Amino acid sequence: MPQVPEGITFLILARDEACVLGETLTSLTGAVSREDRIHVVADGCRDATAEVAAGRGAVVHVRKDTGVRGKGVALRWWLAQTRCSSTPMDAIVLLDADTRLGPGFVPAIRRRLARGEPVIQARLEPEVRNGDPLIRLAAFSDIVEQQVYDAWNARMGWPVRIRGTGTAFRRWALERATARLQTSAEDLEMTLVLAAERIGITFANEVSVADPKPRTLEGAEGQRARWFKGQLQTLRTHPDLVGRLLLQGPRGLAVLSSVLLKPKALVMPLKTVITLLAALLAAQSGGAAVPIAIGGVIWLGLDVGGVLYGLRFVSERRKTLLAMLSCPAYLILWLRSVFLAARSRDPWLRSRPAATAPSEGGLDLVPDNPH
């Protein structure tokens, strides 16, 4: 059995995050042991991110803005900078600049690493700081995705999706995962690379990290725009990985579904339309439309069942049920995000204003938690 690591490196990739980083580092320092280390990459920052990190005792790596942006680029740069002082079995946990560890996070990750798990994704616990029903609906969507679909994949021994924060790696696995990063959605790419190479990504449902939701609808649009843009980039860039996963059967299909058959706010209406059309054709002429209609009904039934089952993990069910009445508006939110993704050139896509950085086209577009 592998030895428990002497220490874990907690890595935060930050771009103009001085406004939230200090609180995160203070909380993190109180949660980790003295054997652990905290590293911060200040990636092309135009605010006091590096100074805040240094003031909280973190090891700071300053990456100059070379014009090539994105968390994937910053992550590969940090790996190159630290390669000579590391070993393949080093433990690394990726966190966002506004992430706080839930109770028992560090010992749980140590135990899983000691069992030989090379990549571990903790549960993201949504924090809704805005009473808007669309923000609440977005949080509920995340809960269903993790507590229903990720939990099912974990029970089947299949990989779950990397979510960009609260993810622990052995360094050799992180090196493998980042070798082909080319898009603005490094979490999606790493999931596909590791799953295609049959490197396990386990789900640590017993522990969590806080996942603050955007405070405004504009922020939610920016968060989803980055994800949607990265999804399309990943499809164009890695068709070979998609093909390899298709050949893996149900395991690979589960991974592709968790990464690419999103968002459900757009996919479910499309499935509904296809199912209704197939049902109409089946009623008129039968033939090949019959199995399509039956399959569509079963698929939609599973989706509805997953949503209903996910309600058991929500503390404020009444508010969540009321938020579901806003599903049409949530669909419009996603459509606006698609438009934003098409016109934005910023791979960080902020969902909260940077402290001092000028915005692109009058918008600040990087997500509070871009996963």
Side-chain angles (χ1 to χ4, degrees):
M1 179 179 294
Q3 295 295 314
V4 175
E6 293 184 358
I8 298 174
T9 297
F10 291 85
L11 174 62
I12 298 174
L13 308 172
R15 184 178 180 85
D16 297 325
E17 299 282 11
C19 58
V20 296
L21 184 60
E23 181 181 350
T24 296
L25 291 175
T26 299
S27 173
L28 185 58
T29 301
V32 303
S33 68
R34 60 185 179 182
E35 292 84 10
D36 301 322
R37 299 164 295 280
I38 301 172
H39 286 226
V40 173
V41 174
D43 186 44
C45 294
R46 292 163 287 177
D47 68 356
T49 293
E51 290 78 4
V52 169
R56 299 300 196 283
V59 179
V60 182
H61 307 262
V62 177
R63 178 178 178 268
K64 301 299 182 182
D65 190 347
T66 61
V68 182
R69 299 181 181 183
K71 285 198 168 186
V73 176
L75 179 54
R76 287 200 301 185
W77 179 85
W78 178 82
L79 286 170
Q81 295 293 308
T82 57
R83 191 162 290 133
C84 292
S85 58
S86 67
T87 71
M89 293 301 289
D90 285 352
I92 300 166
V93 173
L94 297 185
L95 299 174
D96 277 343
D98 59 353
T99 296
R100 297 187 313 280
L101 304 183
F105 179 93
V106 177
I109 294 301
R110 288 190 194 280
R111 287 193 297 271
R112 285 179 171 270
L113 289 168
R115 292 204 298 261
E117 299 176 20
V119 185
I120 305 149
Q121 177 61 60
R123 174 170 46 85
L124 271 58
E125 188 67 33
E127 286 188 350
V128 178
R129 301 174 178 177
N130 181 324
D132 191 290
L134 297 187
I135 302 297
R136 187 173 297 278
L137 200 55
F140 178 59
S141 176
D142 288 347
I143 291 172
V144 171
E145 184 69 23
Q146 295 179 90
Q147 296 284 16
V148 179
Y149 299 107
D150 283 358
W152 169 258
N153 286 353
R155 283 194 293 271
M156 297 299 293
W158 298 338
V160 300
R161 177 163 68 90
I162 289 172
R163 297 184 176 272
T165 187
T167 317
F169 297 83
R170 288 293 185 181
R171 184 174 176 116
W172 66 264
L174 184 57
E175 295 269 9
R176 294 272 287 277
T178 58
R180 297 183 58 181
L181 292 184
Q182 300 179 52
T183 77
S184 60
E186 78 292 335
D187 46 358
L188 303 187
E189 286 186 283
M190 289 195 291
T191 301
L192 292 182
V193 168
L194 292 172
E197 296 189 12
R198 294 187 176 273
I199 296 172
I201 309 170
T202 51
F203 182 40
N205 199 11
E206 72 276 17
V207 290
S208 65
V209 296
D211 178 22
K213 301 299 67 17
R215 296 177 183 271
T216 66
L217 293 182
E218 291 78 7
E221 288 176 14
Q223 187 178 62
R224 279 149 184 76
R226 173 198 171 273
W227 184 89
F228 189 79
K229 186 174 185 177
Q231 184 187 47
L232 294 179
Q233 290 173 341
T234 301
L235 272 173
R236 290 196 303 265
T237 307
H238 302 293
D240 61 315
L241 297 178
V242 174
R244 289 167 62 184
L245 286 168
L246 287 172
L247 294 175
Q248 291 184 13
R251 176 187 186 275
L253 288 172
V255 174
L256 291 174
S257 176
S258 69
V259 171
L260 300 178
L261 287 184
K262 299 290 187 306
K264 286 188 179 295
L266 298 179
V267 174
M268 283 187 68
L270 180 61
K271 287 193 293 188
T272 302
V273 170
I274 293 173
T275 300
L276 289 174
L277 289 176
L280 289 173
L281 289 174
Q284 292 176 1
S285 59
V290 174
I292 295 176
I294 294 174
V297 170
I298 294 173
W299 200 355
L300 287 171
L302 290 174
D303 286 340
V304 173
V307 169
L308 295 177
Y309 183 72
L311 285 170
R312 68 184 298 232
F313 302 102
V314 177
S315 57
E316 297 180 305
R317 294 177 188 171
R318 182 175 178 276
K319 291 182 179 180
T320 301
L321 287 169
L322 290 174
M324 289 182 185
L325 299 176
S326 304
C327 283
Y330 191 56
L331 175 60
I332 293 173
L333 172 70
W334 266 106
L335 292 174
R336 287 170 58 91
S337 299
V338 171
F339 174 75
L340 179 59
R343 69 185 180 91
S344 173
R345 299 181 303 277
D346 185 357
W348 284 80
L349 281 171
R350 289 191 181 275
S351 71
R352 63 168 177 269
T356 60
S359 62
E360 176 192 333
L363 293 173
D364 286 309
L365 309 169
V366 173
D368 293 338
N369 176 37
H371 66 274

